[in-house]
């Protein structure tokens, strides 16, 4: 028969100190790892925040206060931008868009752009009310040589709206409160036509068209019976009037801003 004797385990003072040192070291390493992980997360947060701040400022549109009648005319929009600049070719067949002095994009005649350098002006604005800077190129009075370039944040490129001369872009004005665009001008010595448009899926869609004929003798030839004829984009007659005062308020305001009575 085997007899079992209890075993008494005694821990020396030296062993106790050794164990205490080991546990202390492990705790310190865990603390350092936690602190390092926190620092990494903090750095990542700062980097993300900086990037978001940078993205929020990228192509940020200039702030332009509406003028008379709540409209923003082309002349109110700045001709210089903090980051963007436009370099016109001498022949007017192409332009370069630079961001902080580096080429971002080239627009050529093949893209539907053409404007003699000496006749062109550049204005920066938020033409489609999305908060990003857009570019208007061309003299304010010439529909033939005006081009509207809208910044597409998804592709980080500028996109030309319509084709050369369509929309006319003559007498171009923005109405930020209603997010509408007015433009138009002379078709002949007695006939002016204007369009009110809104943005839809990245394009400028006509909502209403106004025909103004100054000579009553020419009403028939122009398909109208009054000095001012307002129609919907699908051709439905909305208003016919012989004076600006009889038109809807937004149209009265636009024509008055053009000094048309």
């Amino acid at each position: 028969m085997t007899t079992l004797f209890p075993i008494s385990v005694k821990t020396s003072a030296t062993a106790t100190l050794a164990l205490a040192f080991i546990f202390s070291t492990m705790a310190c390493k865990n603390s350092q790892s936690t602190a390092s992980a926190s620092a990494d997360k903090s750095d990542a947060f700062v980097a993300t925040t900086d990037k978001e701040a940078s993205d929020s400022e990228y192509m940020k549109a200039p702030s332009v206060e509406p003028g008379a009648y709540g409209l923003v005319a082309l002349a109110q929009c700045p001709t210089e931008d903090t980051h963007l600049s436009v370099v016109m070719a001498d022949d007017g067949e192409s332009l370069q868009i630079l961001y902080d002095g580096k080429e971002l994009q080239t627009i050529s005649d093949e893209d539907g752009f053409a404007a003699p350098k000496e006749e062109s002006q550049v204005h920066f604005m938020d033409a489609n009310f999305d908060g990003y800077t857009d570019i208007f190129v061309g003299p304010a009075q010439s529909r033939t040589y005006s081009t509207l370039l809208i910044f597409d944040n998804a592709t980080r490129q500028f996109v030309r709206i319509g084709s050369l001369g369509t929309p006319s872009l003559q007498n171009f004005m923005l109405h930020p409160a209603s997010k509408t665009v007015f433009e138009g001008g002379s078709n002949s010595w007695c006939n002016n036509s204007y369009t009110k448009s809104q943005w839809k899926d990245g394009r400028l869609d006509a909502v209403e068209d106004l025909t103004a004929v100054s000579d009553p003798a020419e009403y028939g030839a122009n398909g109208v019976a009054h000095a001012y004829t307002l129609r919907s984009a699908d051709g439905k007659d909305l208003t016919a009037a012989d004076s600006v005062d009889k038109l809807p308020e937004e149209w009265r305001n636009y024509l008055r801003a053009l000094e048309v009575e």
Side-chain angles (χ1 to χ4, degrees), residues 138-151:
Q141 285 74 37
S142 174
R143 64 182 183 183
T144 305
Y145 294 126
S146 295
T147 300
L148 180 60
L149 305 172
I150 298 297
F151 181 71

Side-chain angles (χ1 to χ4, degrees), residues 212-231:
V213 180
S214 58
D215 185 352
E218 297 294 325
Y219 286 173
N222 288 278
V224 299
H226 298 271
Y228 299 95
T229 304
L230 181 63
R231 295 187 174 103

Side-chain angles (χ1 to χ4, degrees), residues 65-84:
E65 287 296 321
Y69 310 108
L71 293 161
V72 175
L74 198 61
Q76 294 173 249
C77 300
T79 57
E80 295 182 352
D81 183 81
T82 304
H83 300 284
L84 284 170

